[in-house]
Amino acid sequence: MDLSERQIDLNAQNPLELIEMLVSSREWPFERSGENELNINVSGAWCEYSVSLTWHEEIESLHMAAAFDSRVPEEKRQEVQILTALINEQLMLGHFDLWSDDGVILFRHTLMLQGGAHATEDQCDALLQLGIESCERYYPAFQFVVWAGKTAKEAISASMFETAGNA
């Protein structure tokens, strides 16, 4: 039975219930760390992503943060901040951050549900896909700066190159 066939009373549910069903159907490991927080591990092409979803009932919003499994060394953080700004200029939805205290790179976005709106399966799926696809697309650019010693401009240029066709 797929999600659309399940009887879900969205009016009575925290949107994390819907996310939990989506994640279960994909067989992704997850953990509910509380009523309003769900943590997911997603294996990408480049690394393992830790995705955290938090329901903020008081402001009726579902926040998603997808973190890379690596940390930026102190000496590379300034160039990574420049790269983050260059990448964020390209994004229509969401944004990347570099946590200053521990050097973790993450992608963040929020689904606003004010006025009694309820999350749909498509919205929740789009939120997850946006986070994962954004991380997958820009992970190499961050690695060019952190591990290859490239400048932010070199890294963004390399990440904007897209291959057409098949070999």
Side-chain angles (χ1 to χ4, degrees), residues 115-133:
H118 299 284
T120 67
E121 179 182 339
D122 288 341
Q123 288 173 315
C124 292
D125 185 51
L127 182 65
L128 288 170
Q129 291 304 319
L130 174 67
I132 295 163
E133 288 172 8

Side-chain angles (χ1 to χ4, degrees), residues 142-162:
F142 286 108
Q143 294 306 302
F144 286 159
V145 171
V146 174
W147 300 114
K150 301 293 183 187
T151 67
K153 287 186 180 187
E154 291 170 325
I156 194 74
S157 293
S159 73
M160 297 309 289
F161 176 76
E162 294 190 30

Side-chain angles (χ1 to χ4, degrees), residues 96-129:
F96 281 94
D97 281 325
L98 174 63
W99 264 188
S100 58
D101 61 338
D102 61 8
V104 170
I105 298 167
L106 53 103
F107 178 83
R108 300 178 351 140
H109 188 59
T110 300
L111 177 61
M112 307 299 288
L113 297 166
Q114 281 75 25
H118 299 284
T120 67
E121 179 182 339
D122 288 341
Q123 288 173 315
C124 292
D125 185 51
L127 182 65
L128 288 170
Q129 291 304 319

Side-chain angles (χ1 to χ4, degrees), residues 43-97:
S43 294
W46 305 106
C47 73
E48 183 91 6
Y49 302 108
S50 297
V51 181
S52 176
L53 294 123
T54 307
W55 170 240
H56 297 279
E57 189 172 356
E58 67 283 359
I59 58 172
E60 300 175 286
S61 64
L62 180 60
H63 178 260
M64 186 251 336
F68 295 168
D69 69 351
S70 60
R71 299 185 190 286
V72 177
E74 188 71 43
E75 65 274 9
K76 301 287 185 167
R77 290 185 186 177
Q78 184 174 2
E79 198 65 27
V80 167
Q81 287 285 17
I82 294 168
L83 176 60
T84 300
L86 292 172
I87 290 171
N88 286 341
E89 289 175 357
Q90 304 297 314
L91 298 176
M92 181 181 294
L93 297 170
H95 66 279
F96 281 94
D97 281 325

